[in-house]
Amino acid sequence: MPKRLRLTRRFPVALTNDAYRSLARFAGETGLSQDEALTFLFEHFGSVTDRDNLAHRLRLFKAGLEDRKA
């Protein structure tokens, strides 16, 4: 029997415009709500990311983070 989807945790989250548009596009393409799309991505994070690519993209993101905050 599949687990029931219960969205029990809520947390305030801030996204860049690009991140929000990506989330909205992904949710729309998959027929999920944005809450459901985030739940799917985080529950299956290890299987939907490429480990090598993730490490590389994270390094790039961190390198430019301080400039983006200014």
Side-chain angles (χ1 to χ4, degrees), residues 28-68:
E29 289 171 356
T30 57
L32 299 171
S33 71
Q34 292 178 1
D35 291 342
E36 293 165 340
L38 280 174
T39 298
F40 168 79
L41 289 171
F42 283 112
E43 283 186 358
H44 302 283
F45 188 78
S47 63
V48 298
T49 58
D50 177 88
R51 200 171 204 55
D52 295 331
N53 193 33
L54 176 64
H56 172 71
R57 298 296 255 160
L58 185 56
R59 279 193 303 276
L60 291 175
F61 181 80
K62 284 181 171 181
L65 192 56
E66 288 303 315
D67 293 338
R68 294 176 72 179

Side-chain angles (χ1 to χ4, degrees), residues 8 20 55:
T8 59
Y20 182 79

Side-chain angles (χ1 to χ4, degrees), residues 16 21 25 28 41 49 65 69:
T16 63
R21 282 192 295 271
R25 183 174 40 253
L41 289 171
T49 58
L65 192 56
K69 287 181 180 180

